[in-house]
Amino acid sequence: MLKKINVIGTTGSGKTTFSKKLAEKLDLAYIQLDDLLWLDDWQETPDEPFFEKLRNQLDLASEGWVVDGNYTRTQYITWEDVETVIWLDMPFHINLFQSVQRAVTRALSKEKLWENSNNQESFQRMLSRDSILWWMIKTYRKNRKKYLERMRNPKYAHIQFIHLRSRKEVQTFLQQL
């Protein structure tokens, strides 16, 4: 049975939607790394307090957890006890489409992005060098290479990797739980 899960994937792959559904379906705690990292006004929590927040959330989730996100600097914490890593590896065009669609929707709605900060998407930010769209374009190939290397790394042989490559595979996976 799945109890300690980390969902990874490039920006726009559907990590948050999938992670929430997975946590609900398995009755596990949902932990969103973005919510732990981002402070008001797009300030990042410094590493040590960020790591402490993450450790606290993991400790509170004694029945199991689904961690949504893949900050490299937190991997040594989450992958210490993780049993399963689910990689949402969607094609570039799907990630790009979803990233644009999400950014535009959020900029129009002015919704708060995370519970613990006041951050919102804006058209100005969406078109800036700090844009989540630009980030996705810059990191897509690099992330794919990094995740493939980790799946093959003997250091992580204790982890069950599940590699989902399409929306259909994601839906089938959730339905079969």
Side-chain angles (χ1 to χ4, degrees):
M1 172 146 226
L2 301 170
K3 287 285 185 190
K4 295 180 179 178
I5 304 161
N6 186 193
V7 177
I8 64 173
T10 300
T11 300
S13 62
K15 291 183 304 295
T16 298
T17 301
F18 176 80
S19 296
K20 286 178 179 177
K21 287 179 183 176
L22 184 63
E24 183 178 326
K25 195 157 191 164
L26 297 175
D27 197 26
L28 300 174
Y30 169 70
I31 301 169
Q32 185 181 39
L33 293 181
D34 283 338
D35 191 39
L36 299 178
L37 175 73
W38 291 106
L39 302 170
D40 288 346
D41 304 317
W42 294 101
Q43 299 300 307
E44 289 188 23
T45 302
D47 280 352
E48 284 311 312
F50 177 42
F51 299 158
E52 188 63 29
K53 286 184 202 179
L54 175 57
R55 284 186 187 102
N56 287 338
Q57 290 296 305
L58 294 171
D59 289 345
L60 288 171
S62 59
E63 298 298 314
W65 38 261
V66 175
V67 172
D68 164 10
N70 42 266
Y71 292 112
T72 301
R73 65 183 181 241
T74 63
Q75 184 178 307
Y76 80 97
I77 298 168
T78 52
W79 286 23
E80 180 178 79
D81 292 324
V82 77
E83 298 163 353
T84 305
V85 171
I86 301 174
W87 175 18
L88 303 184
D89 182 21
M90 301 301 121
F92 178 83
H93 70 278
I94 289 178
N95 284 57
L96 181 61
F97 175 77
Q98 286 192 176
S99 294
V100 170
Q101 183 180 43
R102 179 180 68 189
V104 168
T105 300
R106 287 176 170 177
L108 289 170
S109 73
K110 300 289 186 205
E111 73 180 90
K112 197 168 89 162
L113 300 181
W114 304 288
E115 185 177 324
N116 293 306
S117 71
N118 67 358
N119 299 314
Q120 297 175 328
E121 188 67 74
S122 68
F123 287 106
Q124 180 180 358
R125 185 168 184 82
M126 194 170 61
L127 300 172
S128 76
R129 293 181 69 183
D130 293 328
S131 166
I132 195 72
L133 304 175
W134 180 240
W135 175 256
M136 192 284 299
I137 291 167
K138 284 189 328 189
T139 61
Y140 180 82
R141 290 193 201 302
K142 181 174 73 171
N143 282 342
R144 286 197 84 248
K145 181 179 178 186
K146 176 175 66 176
Y147 301 147
L148 284 168
E149 287 171 359
R150 291 198 176 133
M151 285 176 65
R152 295 177 182 139
N153 188 332
K155 178 180 176 182
Y156 304 118
H158 66 285
I159 298 172
Q160 173 191 12
F161 285 91
I162 299 173
H163 189 180
L164 303 175
R165 297 174 184 92
S166 70
R167 291 284 162 244
K168 184 174 182 173
E169 286 183 15
V170 167
Q171 290 306 318
T172 300
F173 178 83
L174 286 171
Q175 288 168 356
Q176 292 177 346
L177 289 176

